[in-house]
Amino acid sequence: MTDFYALDELLAPEEIEIRDRVRDFCAREVTPRINDYWERAEFPFELVPKIAALGISGGTVQGYGSPGMSAVAAGLVAAEWARADGSIGTFYGVHSFLAMQSIAMLGSEEQRERWLPAMARVEKIGAFGLTEPAHGSDAVGLETSARRDGDAYVLTGAKKWIGNGSIADYVIIWARGEDGAVGGYVVEKGTPGYEATVMTGKTALRAVWQAEITLTDVRVPAENRLANCHSFKDVAVVLDRTRYTVAWRALGLATASYELALAHALRREQFGQPIAGFQLVQDKLARMLAEITSMQLMCWRLSKLADAGRMTAAMASLAKMNHAAKARAIVADARDILGGDGILLDNHVARHHADMEAIFTFEGTDSVQALIVGREITGLSAISGRKPAR
């Protein structure tokens, strides 16, 4: 496959094994059928037990039935899902990286034991309820409230763009308590007052269901409040820890698009020869490969830093910002190389082209990532206008 600088030589055998296991699964189970689901905007429930059988849910989570893989392996897995389909990548990423990591990092030992094993087996599906109708990039300003009432908390508010929100068994709702501090509350399926409506009309990630959620006096047992979440800073730690996987996802989408464009260019003949023999096409392919190779190396190094506990929020933001923009351009060039065939779902690039727009935006827009990096290198916050404490 696309490995121009022999990156495989830097990977551990177990990382290659996990990557190849997911790659083979995607080739057999995802790619042959996903276009139909994407076109109909339906979630492929038939794949869930098959994904469970892979034994990879939980990613880097240690114990509780999770694989405890390295950050490099988790990134490779994220890239392989995206290389096959962005929607399935979102389903897996929300469940394994956002929901399970939140519980692993911010839950008590009792909470981890209570929820994570079933989630690792994908018997229970997780969701992460942070974004609100009026709060996307400024998620810190969330308005959903949590009020203590006896042995429970009462949640009131609304969420939007919540992946798995309509099908999840455990939805982590981030809400502001009476003291103003943000906490995480695990709302279990069937709880009265929780209403999730699948969002329609999407032009990207159509095969994963994202929901608008209304919380009307939702009573959550006190023991369902994540024990080690005391402020939004704790939520940010989870987001920083998972954001690097989005850079890998952008890489996966870019790689798939490049490979599809190369195969098409070698196959498609115009003016008596394969279009891969024309200078303009070769120039595009060479530049696409250069960007993908640099993205691979950056992802690998960032993940090694994550494994060593040295990855910072700004490092993750730099990768997401860079990779999303580069992947967006690569996918556009791939669609161009395919010509008219590039807008047909059967050729897959059209789906990647549409899905890339979502990846470019979620878990922090291009502009917000730039400002996080800018704050790190200047010591000045262009978001708040205040100098951050160091």
Side-chain angles (χ1 to χ4, degrees), residues 70-353:
S70 69
V72 174
L76 290 166
V77 168
E80 288 305 317
W81 286 128
R83 189 168 161 270
D85 178 64
S87 297
I88 301 301
T90 295
F91 166 77
Y92 174 84
V94 168
H95 175 72
S96 283
F97 297 140
L98 288 172
M100 292 186 70
Q101 281 284 3
S102 293
I103 294 169
M105 295 174 70
L106 302 179
S108 65
E109 179 60 24
E110 184 278 328
Q111 290 172 330
R112 292 192 287 267
E113 291 283 2
R114 187 177 1 145
W115 292 314
L116 289 177
M119 296 176 78
R121 296 189 298 270
V122 202
E123 294 171 358
K124 302 290 185 180
I125 294 171
F128 183 91
L130 177 61
T131 303
E132 297 184 351
H135 298 282
S137 295
D138 69 336
V140 68
L142 62 85
E143 298 176 49
T144 298
S145 65
R147 171 177 56 85
R148 185 66 185 254
D149 182 22
D151 60 355
Y153 287 92
V154 179
L155 307 183
T156 302
K159 300 292 181 180
K160 190 174 182 179
W161 294 110
I162 309 307
N164 305 345
S166 63
I167 63 174
D169 299 280
Y170 304 137
V171 182
I172 302 171
I173 295 294
W174 304 97
R176 196 172 299 282
E178 294 169 285
D179 60 355
V182 173
Y185 303 83
V186 178
V187 179
E188 300 189 30
K189 194 170 190 174
T191 301
Y194 177 93
E195 182 180 354
T197 303
V198 175
M199 298 177 67
T200 59
K202 292 191 304 175
T203 61
L205 303 178
R206 289 173 55 81
V208 69
W209 286 348
Q210 289 159 305
E212 290 187 275
I213 294 171
T214 301
L215 302 148
T216 306
D217 295 332
V218 175
R219 293 185 67 84
V220 178
E223 58 266 27
N224 280 25
R225 186 186 192 279
L226 294 181
N228 298 313
C229 182
H230 307 294
S231 71
F232 189 81
K233 288 183 179 179
D234 296 320
V235 186
V237 170
V238 176
L239 294 172
D240 294 341
R241 178 64 183 173
T242 60
R243 185 171 293 125
Y244 83 98
T245 64
V246 183
W248 280 97
R249 290 180 64 178
L251 169 61
L253 235 110
T255 303
S257 300
Y258 163 77
E259 290 170 351
L260 289 163
L262 175 59
H264 176 86
L266 290 167
R267 182 175 62 248
R268 174 70 167 169
E269 292 192 5
Q270 291 288 280
F271 306 105
Q273 71 175 73
I275 63 172
F278 291 108
Q279 292 178 359
L280 289 175
V281 174
Q282 287 194 7
D283 181 73
K284 279 189 172 68
L285 291 170
R287 294 179 189 281
M288 292 160 77
L289 178 60
E291 296 291 14
I292 286 170
T293 301
S294 67
M295 290 162 69
Q296 288 173 332
L297 294 169
M298 193 170 177
C299 275
W300 174 80
R301 178 56 181 162
L302 181 63
S303 298
K304 295 297 285 187
L305 289 168
D307 278 329
R310 295 171 57 197
M311 181 183 71
T312 66
M315 288 177 184
S317 289
L318 184 70
K320 201 278 182 177
M321 176 192 72
N322 180 77
H323 287 30
K326 297 295 176 59
R328 195 187 201 190
I330 289 168
V331 176
D333 277 342
R335 201 227 63 77
D336 180 54
I337 288 172
L338 264 73
D341 288 338
I343 64 171
L344 293 174
L345 277 178
D346 282 351
N347 297 313
H348 301 293
V349 170
R351 173 166 46 81
H352 294 321
H353 188 250

Side-chain angles (χ1 to χ4, degrees), residues 8 15-25 80:
D8 269 17
E15 293 167 345
I16 293 174
E17 188 280 326
I18 291 172
R19 180 202 64 190
D20 290 351
R21 194 189 332 156
V22 176
R23 179 176 292 175
D24 178 66
F25 174 84
E80 288 305 317

Side-chain angles (χ1 to χ4, degrees), residues 25-41:
F25 174 84
C26 288
R28 288 184 291 105
E29 303 287 353
V30 179
T31 304
R33 56 169 56 92
I34 198 62
N35 282 334
D36 186 48
Y37 284 103
W38 195 94
E39 187 169 25
R40 291 185 285 113

